[in-house]
Amino acid sequence: MKNIVVLVSGGGTNLQALIDAQNRGEIKNGKITCVISSNPNAYALTRAQNNKISTEVIRRKDFAEFDEYDNALTELLKSKNADVVVLAGFMTILGSKVISAFENKIINIHPSLIPSFCGEGYYGLHVHEAALKKGVKVTGATAHFVNEVCDDGPIIIQKAVEIQNGDTPEILQKRVMEQAEWKILPKAVSLFCEDKIIVKDNKTEILD
Ligand code: GAR
């Protein structure tokens, strides 16, 4: 059974999707053992507590240097015996120490079809604002491994979502979450826990 540690910053609807999938028995060979937040007021922490999952808070601003923060987060994840780290709306940039300590073991959910609308500055509602500004007809979400380059790691699963007339960033964000993120993130985590993801040349192969 793999230990799943989930990193959050906000509302935690993707964390909730993981918890719900776990309760339905859809996370095979894995268990959410800890939720770590960058924000002590994140509602995601309440969701974890409601489900008797242990919680921790680690704030970037409590460390003078970025390296100290990077070291502290790495040590915290190691102390929790994390087998897989899930970024579920985690809004603090990860450092090279944590990324190399958990190479191809950190899964992020991004609210667009990578390589569109991703990279620095593309997070949360900004992603949907950019998609609507460009006028794309289809957007979606991507579950991928994290590497040193923002939103560039091997793609695990993608799901497309149609843009509709009258969409606002908020309406589109909700549709992308409901139709894509909340489905593909638990699926990607389960595939990882079942050892069904092979990574080669910055790409993945999913075993059936
Ligand atoms: C989600 O839409 C997630 O894809 C996005 O933030 C939201 C968090 O919502 N993440 C990023 O933009 C990362 N680049 P949640 O806290 O309700 O899961």
Side-chain angles (χ1 to χ4, degrees), residues 9-15 47 88-91 108-111 122-124 127-128 151 173 177 181-182:
S9 298
T13 64
N14 278 287
L15 169 66
R47 294 182 193 272
F90 188 64
M91 297 304 178
N108 181 46
I109 182 72
H110 182 78
Y122 288 97
Y123 59 90
V127 180
H128 305 292
D151 297 331
Q173 179 181 51
M177 284 176 157
E181 295 184 45
W182 300 343

Short mmCIF file of all heavy atoms in Angstrom, two decimals, residues 9-15 47 88-91 108-111 122-124 127-128 151 173 177 181-182, ligand 1:
data_model
loop_
_atom_site.label_atom_id
_atom_site.label_comp_id
_atom_site.label_asym_id
_atom_site.label_seq_id
_atom_site.Cartn_x
_atom_site.Cartn_y
_atom_site.Cartn_z
N SER A 9 -3.43 24.31 -1.20
CA SER A 9 -3.33 25.71 -0.79
C SER A 9 -4.68 26.36 -0.58
O SER A 9 -4.77 27.42 0.03
CB SER A 9 -2.57 26.53 -1.85
OG SER A 9 -1.27 26.07 -2.03
N GLY A 10 -5.74 25.79 -1.14
CA GLY A 10 -7.01 26.51 -1.16
C GLY A 10 -8.21 25.66 -0.81
O GLY A 10 -8.22 24.91 0.18
N GLY A 11 -9.21 25.74 -1.68
CA GLY A 11 -10.50 25.11 -1.39
C GLY A 11 -10.44 23.59 -1.30
O GLY A 11 -11.22 22.98 -0.57
N GLY A 12 -9.57 22.99 -2.08
CA GLY A 12 -9.36 21.55 -1.94
C GLY A 12 -10.41 20.69 -2.60
O GLY A 12 -10.65 19.56 -2.16
N THR A 13 -11.02 21.16 -3.70
CA THR A 13 -12.01 20.28 -4.35
C THR A 13 -11.32 19.07 -5.00
O THR A 13 -11.91 17.99 -5.06
CB THR A 13 -12.86 21.03 -5.40
OG1 THR A 13 -12.02 21.47 -6.46
CG2 THR A 13 -13.60 22.19 -4.78
N ASN A 14 -10.09 19.24 -5.45
CA ASN A 14 -9.37 18.08 -6.00
C ASN A 14 -9.00 17.10 -4.88
O ASN A 14 -9.02 15.88 -5.09
CB ASN A 14 -8.14 18.52 -6.78
CG ASN A 14 -8.49 18.94 -8.19
OD1 ASN A 14 -8.79 18.10 -9.03
ND2 ASN A 14 -8.51 20.25 -8.44
N LEU A 15 -8.65 17.63 -3.70
CA LEU A 15 -8.43 16.74 -2.55
C LEU A 15 -9.72 15.97 -2.26
O LEU A 15 -9.68 14.75 -2.03
CB LEU A 15 -8.02 17.57 -1.32
CG LEU A 15 -8.04 16.79 0.00
CD1 LEU A 15 -6.97 15.70 0.01
CD2 LEU A 15 -7.86 17.75 1.18
N ARG A 47 -11.40 19.74 5.08
CA ARG A 47 -11.81 18.51 4.37
C ARG A 47 -11.00 17.32 4.88
O ARG A 47 -11.53 16.24 5.08
CB ARG A 47 -11.60 18.67 2.87
CG ARG A 47 -12.48 19.71 2.20
CD ARG A 47 -12.18 19.71 0.71
NE ARG A 47 -12.73 20.86 0.00
CZ ARG A 47 -13.96 20.89 -0.52
NH1 ARG A 47 -14.76 19.86 -0.45
NH2 ARG A 47 -14.36 21.98 -1.16
N ALA A 88 -2.46 19.22 -5.41
CA ALA A 88 -3.89 19.40 -5.71
C ALA A 88 -4.24 20.86 -5.44
O ALA A 88 -4.76 21.22 -4.38
CB ALA A 88 -4.72 18.45 -4.85
N GLY A 89 -3.86 21.73 -6.41
CA GLY A 89 -4.07 23.15 -6.19
C GLY A 89 -3.05 23.72 -5.23
O GLY A 89 -3.36 24.58 -4.41
N PHE A 90 -1.80 23.25 -5.34
CA PHE A 90 -0.70 23.74 -4.47
C PHE A 90 -0.05 24.91 -5.20
O PHE A 90 0.47 24.75 -6.31
CB PHE A 90 0.30 22.63 -4.22
CG PHE A 90 1.35 22.97 -3.19
CD1 PHE A 90 0.99 23.20 -1.88
CD2 PHE A 90 2.69 23.04 -3.54
CE1 PHE A 90 1.95 23.50 -0.92
CE2 PHE A 90 3.66 23.34 -2.59
CZ PHE A 90 3.29 23.56 -1.27
N MET A 91 -0.09 26.09 -4.59
CA MET A 91 0.27 27.31 -5.31
C MET A 91 1.67 27.83 -4.99
O MET A 91 2.00 28.95 -5.36
CB MET A 91 -0.78 28.39 -5.03
CG MET A 91 -2.16 28.02 -5.54
SD MET A 91 -2.17 27.62 -7.31
CE MET A 91 -3.89 27.19 -7.56
N ASN A 108 0.97 16.48 -10.54
CA ASN A 108 0.27 17.77 -10.49
C ASN A 108 -0.98 17.71 -11.36
O ASN A 108 -0.99 17.01 -12.38
CB ASN A 108 1.20 18.88 -11.02
CG ASN A 108 0.56 20.25 -10.98
OD1 ASN A 108 -0.06 20.64 -9.99
ND2 ASN A 108 0.69 21.00 -12.07
N ILE A 109 -2.01 18.43 -10.93
CA ILE A 109 -3.17 18.59 -11.80
C ILE A 109 -3.16 20.04 -12.30
O ILE A 109 -3.08 20.98 -11.51
CB ILE A 109 -4.51 18.23 -11.10
CG1 ILE A 109 -5.70 18.35 -12.05
CG2 ILE A 109 -4.73 19.03 -9.82
CD1 ILE A 109 -5.78 17.28 -13.10
N HIS A 110 -3.22 20.19 -13.65
CA HIS A 110 -3.19 21.53 -14.25
C HIS A 110 -4.47 21.72 -15.06
O HIS A 110 -4.84 20.83 -15.84
CB HIS A 110 -1.95 21.70 -15.13
CG HIS A 110 -1.87 23.07 -15.72
ND1 HIS A 110 -1.43 24.16 -14.99
CD2 HIS A 110 -2.23 23.55 -16.93
CE1 HIS A 110 -1.51 25.25 -15.75
NE2 HIS A 110 -1.99 24.91 -16.93
N PRO A 111 -5.12 22.89 -14.93
CA PRO A 111 -6.43 23.06 -15.56
C PRO A 111 -6.40 23.53 -17.02
O PRO A 111 -7.12 24.46 -17.40
CB PRO A 111 -7.11 24.10 -14.65
CG PRO A 111 -6.00 24.94 -14.16
CD PRO A 111 -4.80 24.03 -14.03
N TYR A 122 0.53 30.86 -15.13
CA TYR A 122 -0.72 30.18 -15.48
C TYR A 122 -1.13 29.26 -14.33
O TYR A 122 -0.66 28.13 -14.22
CB TYR A 122 -0.56 29.35 -16.77
CG TYR A 122 -0.46 30.19 -18.02
CD1 TYR A 122 0.77 30.51 -18.57
CD2 TYR A 122 -1.60 30.67 -18.66
CE1 TYR A 122 0.87 31.29 -19.71
CE2 TYR A 122 -1.52 31.45 -19.79
CZ TYR A 122 -0.29 31.75 -20.31
OH TYR A 122 -0.20 32.51 -21.44
N TYR A 123 -1.99 29.80 -13.48
CA TYR A 123 -2.52 29.00 -12.38
C TYR A 123 -3.93 29.48 -12.07
O TYR A 123 -4.31 30.62 -12.36
CB TYR A 123 -1.62 29.07 -11.13
CG TYR A 123 -1.46 30.47 -10.60
CD1 TYR A 123 -2.34 30.99 -9.66
CD2 TYR A 123 -0.44 31.29 -11.07
CE1 TYR A 123 -2.21 32.28 -9.20
CE2 TYR A 123 -0.30 32.59 -10.62
CZ TYR A 123 -1.19 33.08 -9.68
OH TYR A 123 -1.06 34.36 -9.23
N GLY A 124 -4.72 28.57 -11.52
CA GLY A 124 -6.08 28.91 -11.10
C GLY A 124 -6.89 29.57 -12.22
O GLY A 124 -6.85 29.13 -13.37
N VAL A 127 -5.64 30.66 -15.91
CA VAL A 127 -5.57 29.70 -17.02
C VAL A 127 -6.84 29.81 -17.87
O VAL A 127 -6.79 29.85 -19.11
CB VAL A 127 -5.43 28.26 -16.46
CG1 VAL A 127 -5.37 27.24 -17.59
CG2 VAL A 127 -4.20 28.16 -15.56
N HIS A 128 -7.98 29.89 -17.21
CA HIS A 128 -9.26 29.94 -17.92
C HIS A 128 -9.46 31.31 -18.59
O HIS A 128 -10.03 31.40 -19.66
CB HIS A 128 -10.39 29.58 -16.96
CG HIS A 128 -10.16 28.27 -16.29
ND1 HIS A 128 -10.20 27.08 -16.97
CD2 HIS A 128 -9.81 27.96 -15.01
CE1 HIS A 128 -9.91 26.10 -16.14
NE2 HIS A 128 -9.67 26.60 -14.95
N ASP A 151 5.28 22.89 -15.39
CA ASP A 151 4.24 22.26 -16.23
C ASP A 151 4.80 21.51 -17.45
O ASP A 151 4.12 21.40 -18.48
CB ASP A 151 3.20 23.30 -16.70
CG ASP A 151 2.43 23.91 -15.53
OD1 ASP A 151 2.26 23.23 -14.52
OD2 ASP A 151 2.01 25.07 -15.64
N GLN A 173 -13.99 27.29 -15.23
CA GLN A 173 -13.19 26.61 -14.19
C GLN A 173 -14.00 25.47 -13.57
O GLN A 173 -13.51 24.35 -13.39
CB GLN A 173 -12.78 27.59 -13.11
CG GLN A 173 -11.97 26.94 -11.99
CD GLN A 173 -11.58 27.92 -10.89
OE1 GLN A 173 -12.42 28.64 -10.35
NE2 GLN A 173 -10.31 27.97 -10.58
N MET A 177 -13.20 21.49 -13.81
CA MET A 177 -13.04 20.68 -12.59
C MET A 177 -13.96 19.46 -12.63
O MET A 177 -13.52 18.32 -12.45
CB MET A 177 -13.36 21.52 -11.35
CG MET A 177 -12.28 22.49 -10.97
SD MET A 177 -12.84 23.49 -9.58
CE MET A 177 -11.29 23.99 -8.88
N GLU A 181 -10.79 17.51 -14.15
CA GLU A 181 -9.83 17.39 -13.04
C GLU A 181 -10.22 16.33 -12.02
O GLU A 181 -9.39 15.49 -11.63
CB GLU A 181 -9.69 18.73 -12.31
CG GLU A 181 -9.11 19.82 -13.16
CD GLU A 181 -8.91 21.11 -12.38
OE1 GLU A 181 -8.41 21.07 -11.26
OE2 GLU A 181 -9.26 22.18 -12.92
N TRP A 182 -11.48 16.37 -11.56
CA TRP A 182 -11.89 15.47 -10.48
C TRP A 182 -11.93 14.01 -10.95
O TRP A 182 -12.01 13.10 -10.13
CB TRP A 182 -13.27 15.88 -9.93
CG TRP A 182 -13.31 17.27 -9.37
CD1 TRP A 182 -12.25 18.05 -9.01
CD2 TRP A 182 -14.48 18.07 -9.12
NE1 TRP A 182 -12.69 19.27 -8.56
CE2 TRP A 182 -14.05 19.31 -8.61
CE3 TRP A 182 -15.86 17.84 -9.27
CZ2 TRP A 182 -14.94 20.32 -8.26
CZ3 TRP A 182 -16.75 18.85 -8.92
CH2 TRP A 182 -16.29 20.07 -8.42
C1 GAR B 1 -7.57 23.62 -9.64
O1 GAR B 1 -8.31 24.08 -10.75
C2 GAR B 1 -6.18 23.19 -10.09
O2 GAR B 1 -6.17 22.56 -11.34
C3 GAR B 1 -5.48 24.51 -10.15
O3 GAR B 1 -5.94 25.22 -9.01
C4 GAR B 1 -7.26 24.78 -8.69
C5 GAR B 1 -7.31 24.35 -7.24
O4 GAR B 1 -8.62 24.06 -6.82
N1 GAR B 1 -4.06 24.34 -10.15
C6 GAR B 1 -3.23 25.10 -10.86
O5 GAR B 1 -3.59 26.04 -11.53
C7 GAR B 1 -1.77 24.69 -10.78
N2 GAR B 1 -0.99 25.33 -11.82
P1 GAR B 1 -8.93 23.14 -5.57
O6 GAR B 1 -8.15 23.72 -4.37
O7 GAR B 1 -10.42 23.28 -5.37
O8 GAR B 1 -8.52 21.74 -5.88
#
